[in-house]
Amino acid sequence: MTDRTARSADAAGAPEAAPSRTVLLRGGEVHSPADPFATAMVVERGHVAWVGSEGAADAFARGVDEVVDLDGALVTPAFTDAHVHTTSAGLALTGLDLTGARSLPEALGLVRAYAARRPSDRVLLGHGWDAARWPERRAPRRAELDEAARGRPLYLSRVDVHSAVVTTALLDLVPAVRARGDEPLTRDDHHAVRRAALGAVTPAQRAEAQRAALDRAASLGIGSVHECGGPDISSAEDFTALLDLAGQRPGPRVFGYWADRDLDRARELGAVGAAGDLFVDGALGSHTACLHAPYADAPHTGTGYLDAGAVAEHVAGCTEAGLQAGFHAIGDAAVGAVVEGVRAAAEKVGLERVRAARHRVEHAEMMTPATIAAFAELGLTASVQPAFDAAWGGDEGMYADRLGVERARTLNPYAAMLKAGVALAFGSDAPVTPLDPWGTVRAAAFHRTPAHRISVRAAFAAHTRGGWRALGRDDAGTLVPGAPADYAVWRTGELVVQAPDDRVARWSTDPRSGTPGLPDLSPGRELPVCLATVVGGREVFVRPQG
């Protein structure tokens, strides 16, 4: 095992040596299954040592190195974002972000202004355009981009990062791409121009972007991220640079997944799994998700990259090698191919071994009762992004445009998945949707399709403990004695219990239920504000006062 592999197994960014100081936090609300009425917590050697009542805290006050007065603040486990593209998320923070553009002319104006501000960049990079939200309902044409960028190389990824528009000058740098029309580039053409564009990012730009993304995560109470890299997404240099950076500075833990069928390469790079965005298909917004029936607004069924045979080979190989396998699958045909392949692998190496490996499926949006049952049977973790429904769900959203209203209403059925026993881990897929953990919990609890809603408590668990379980760790993600001291402190309002079934919510507020409360996440309510984030007992973010 290489040094990088050994470190990645415990996550880059985790403290090399736990702090020796013992800290008592008291005078707040501590969200802990060990004591639903806890108001205090002791942290020692980077782990939770005790949680309990304010009266019992007096016994610890004289024997600790520091006492923190929470002044009524809420303490929760830190969030885990189970699907992040860290460098790309950072470039969206430090570079050209088109997610707020309300029209095509506004987007082109942002491109002009950005090009003027960055005269020395070899390639201009931007992200987040979504023509479905614009009155013009079309992507920028190449001539328009050539004019806005003043003839310079420019790469603009669509919000789902599965297609892009580029300038003529960038195409000239990638001779293998022969497409010269105005349609966004997809599949191999998109992968080629993305490699060229990201290859122009300097090490200094990359480090700036990675720091920006990790600092933003810490400021939002995120204590761990699952980096989803791979040869078709970023580069080996980007992946290892992120693991090295995270290991050298205080910040969220970084667990790296490398989406490659070459298992030796994944191990060599220090990945915890040959998983993440190993593409079985593309995305609905770019018409590349692989469907059983044609799109409602296009005469085809999308794109399949891996079939069931390839899935079976990868899962069997990873299971034998002690690695997690994982796949990107959105469309119902793609999810079906994953299930068929994993079941074939289980027949070869044994069902219990496959279940124990906790292989993953990223996104898993178009689920059916049969595939939900198969996920539970095969022990597959669904690494999902509730913000997708908030952004594109509903009867007039992008999903309905692509699939029609009836099929769109079946997407992201979290309630049915939980009821069947499918393990959920929540993430953002940043920069596809922003880092926003409480917003993610809200999106699951107030799903646009009411039948798919889950309780705030279940959604919170999927975004904290769920991410750790997706890594194969059952000893983290909650504030109980012995767990890693990864927690966040929040300024928030009254704590409540919210569930789709009002009968459940009413019983859960009864003291006899022993259900700890969480912030009120009703739409329109202000989300909690992170005051501090602690990872392994070390502060990685403290909100400035004033």
Side-chain angles (χ1 to χ4, degrees):
M1 183 179 285
T2 66
D3 289 343
R4 176 172 284 122
T5 304
R7 189 186 68 242
S8 182
D10 290 325
E16 293 185 0
S20 59
R21 291 169 57 80
T22 301
V23 179
L24 167 64
L25 297 88
R26 64 184 306 179
E29 301 280 352
V30 179
H31 186 87
S32 171
D35 184 344
F37 309 109
T39 62
M41 179 171 74
V42 173
V43 173
E44 186 174 35
R45 295 192 180 95
H47 288 75
V48 177
W50 171 85
V51 293
S53 67
E54 192 62 27
D58 290 337
F60 293 95
R62 292 185 180 179
V64 301
D65 298 300
E66 182 182 2
V67 177
V68 176
D69 181 2
L70 293 169
D71 192 25
L74 170 67
V75 180
T76 71
F79 287 100
T80 293
D81 192 310
H83 193 119
V84 175
H85 303 286
T86 307
T87 302
S88 295
L91 288 170
L93 293 170
T94 61
L96 175 55
D97 183 1
L98 297 177
T99 55
R102 293 163 294 183
S103 67
L104 174 59
E106 183 178 346
L108 293 171
L110 291 171
V111 171
R112 290 189 192 94
Y114 185 73
R117 293 198 307 270
R118 310 283 292 208
S120 60
D121 286 6
R122 287 180 287 175
V123 173
L124 297 167
L125 300 170
H127 167 74
W129 62 271
D130 185 358
R133 298 179 180 178
W134 295 344
E136 299 80 10
R137 307 286 288 186
R138 69 170 176 86
R141 298 190 175 106
R142 187 151 299 130
E144 294 169 331
L145 295 175
D146 288 345
E147 183 277 326
R150 300 193 177 187
R152 296 169 61 189
L154 168 72
Y155 168 87
L156 295 179
S157 54
R158 190 186 179 279
V159 65
D160 61 8
V161 202
H162 282 266
S163 60
V165 289
V166 302
T167 57
T168 303
L170 182 58
L171 280 180
D172 290 342
L173 299 177
V174 194
V177 177
R178 301 185 180 278
R180 295 286 161 170
D182 283 321
E183 289 300 310
L185 300 176
T186 61
R187 302 181 62 179
D188 291 343
D189 286 344
H190 176 227
H191 295 161
V193 296
R194 177 165 59 189
R195 279 193 294 271
L198 295 180
V201 174
T202 67
Q205 285 177 300
R206 181 175 61 210
E208 176 192 18
Q210 292 172 347
R211 285 194 297 268
L214 294 176
D215 288 347
R216 173 64 65 87
S219 75
L220 296 169
I222 297 171
S224 301
V225 300
H226 297 183
E227 164 66 13
C228 291
D232 291 327
I233 303 159
S234 52
S235 68
E237 292 76 19
D238 179 90
F239 188 77
T240 55
L242 173 63
L243 295 183
D244 289 341
L245 177 72
Q248 294 166 6
R249 65 194 296 269
R253 303 175 192 261
V254 177
F255 296 93
Y257 284 92
W258 183 250
D260 197 336
R261 295 168 70 187
D262 184 340
L263 307 190
D264 291 336
R265 183 60 167 156
R267 283 193 184 279
E268 176 188 332
L269 295 177
V272 296
D277 278 329
L278 187 53
F279 295 118
V280 179
D281 68 345
L284 291 165
S286 293
H287 292 100
T288 51
C290 192
L291 315 179
H292 283 306
Y295 283 87
D297 60 350
H300 61 80
T301 57
T303 304
Y305 297 113
L306 295 178
D307 61 15
V311 170
E313 180 183 2
H314 187 64
V315 171
C318 286
T319 303
E320 296 279 12
L323 278 173
Q324 276 186 299
F327 305 91
H328 163 118
I330 287 179
D332 51 1
V335 173
V338 170
V339 165
E340 182 182 347
V342 177
R343 184 170 281 127
E347 292 173 357
K348 178 180 179 181
V349 302
L351 176 60
E352 290 310 311
R353 291 183 69 190
V354 166
R355 287 179 57 86
R358 302 192 192 186
H359 301 307
R360 299 169 54 136
V361 181
E362 309 298 318
H363 315 309
E365 293 199 78
M366 293 186 72
M367 302 289 286
T368 66
T371 53
I372 290 172
F375 269 48
E377 173 198 355
L378 299 166
L380 294 172
T381 295
S383 171
V384 297
Q385 296 73 41
F388 286 8
D389 175 74
W392 303 311
D395 290 356
E396 297 180 356
M398 183 271 288
Y399 289 154
D401 289 345
R402 295 290 185 269
L403 302 172
V405 170
E406 291 307 313
R407 269 197 296 177
R409 287 176 180 169
T410 69
L411 265 62
N412 303 303
Y414 303 137
M417 294 166 82
L418 279 182
K419 184 177 180 180
V422 177
L424 299 183
F426 282 178
S428 63
D429 199 8
V432 175
T433 59
L435 298 165
D436 180 16
W438 284 114
T440 295
V441 174
R442 171 186 279 170
F446 294 92
H447 197 295
R448 289 179 180 270
T449 303
H452 300 333
R453 292 173 180 171
I454 60 177
S455 69
V456 167
R457 183 185 182 193
F460 179 77
H463 214 350
T464 50
R465 193 172 190 181
W468 284 97
R469 285 179 163 174
L471 291 161
R473 292 276 301 270
D474 293 328
D475 61 337
T478 59
L479 299 180
V480 297
D486 291 16
Y487 61 90
V489 182
W490 307 92
R491 181 176 69 238
T492 188
E494 181 183 3
L495 303 184
V496 298
V497 175
Q498 291 177 294
D501 187 328
D502 186 55
R503 292 168 300 174
V504 174
R506 286 200 305 271
W507 162 245
S508 297
T509 57
D510 189 303
R512 291 171 295 174
S513 75
T515 304
L518 284 165
D520 186 346
L521 301 183
S522 301
R525 296 293 295 262
E526 183 179 351
L527 293 175
V529 174
C530 183
L531 302 178
T533 304
V534 174
V535 175
R538 295 184 185 276
E539 288 183 337
V540 299
F541 169 76
V542 177
R543 180 166 297 280
Q545 294 184 352

